[in-house]
């Protein structure tokens, strides 16, 4: 069996890759952003906690923050608790309330 050919290591190539991937994405909370704590491209961010302690709120706040700052990028939300329809409805509800004093509730979006 012939071994696979591996290209020579290139520091310039490594630097180009890091620059192309970009800087980490801040979470949008000052306490974390001031410490340069964020998510690098390809990172998996896990939000864990007990029932009713705000996990969904944290995820949606983070998602809305990133959607505003990086509108051309793709983000994936995975939940064991929420079906895709619920994620979409909650996101629409949040976005409508951001642009005015009165937005659509979860039930308004469902209707």
């Amino acid at each position: 069996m012939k071994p696979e050919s591996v290209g020579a290591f290139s520091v310039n190539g490594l630097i180009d890759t890091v620059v192309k991937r970009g800087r980490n994405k801040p979470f949008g909370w000052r306490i974390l952003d001031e410490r340069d704590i964020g998510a690098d491209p390809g990172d998996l961010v896990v939000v864990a906690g007990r029932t009713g302690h705000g996990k969904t709120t944290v995820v949606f706040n983070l998602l809305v923050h990133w959607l505003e700052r990086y509108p051309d990028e793709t983000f994936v939300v995975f939940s064991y608790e929420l079906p895709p329809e619920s994620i979409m409805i909650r996101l629409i509800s949040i976005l409508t309330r951001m642009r005015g004093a009165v937005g659509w509730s979860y039930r308004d979006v469902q209707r």
Side-chain angles (χ1 to χ4, degrees):
M1 195 180 220
K2 185 177 176 183
E4 289 185 36
S5 157
V6 177
F9 177 79
S10 163
V11 172
N12 288 337
L14 180 62
I15 291 171
D16 290 344
T17 300
V18 169
V19 169
K20 192 183 334 179
R21 284 183 56 193
R23 193 171 173 278
N24 72 7
K25 290 181 177 31
F27 288 129
W29 286 282
R30 190 178 334 118
I31 190 92
L32 298 174
D33 294 346
E34 287 174 351
R35 289 165 177 77
D36 203 26
I37 298 172
D40 289 316
D43 278 359
L44 172 66
V45 177
V46 177
V47 178
R50 293 175 51 168
T51 302
H53 281 77
K55 298 179 299 294
T56 301
T57 301
V58 167
V59 169
F60 279 105
N61 282 319
L62 180 59
L63 179 61
V64 167
H65 173 72
W66 282 349
L67 288 171
E68 286 184 321
R69 287 193 73 169
Y70 311 101
D72 296 331
E73 295 193 27
T74 301
F75 300 94
V76 177
V77 175
F78 180 84
S79 173
Y80 280 113
E81 298 174 355
L82 299 173
E85 300 81 15
S86 181
I87 292 172
M88 181 191 68
I89 290 170
R90 284 182 187 219
L91 185 57
I92 291 169
S93 175
I94 290 168
L95 292 173
T96 64
R97 286 182 274 130
M98 288 178 60
R99 303 294 178 233
V102 178
W104 296 341
S105 70
Y106 187 91
R107 299 292 174 228
D108 291 336
V109 175
Q110 269 187 320
R111 285 191 291 276

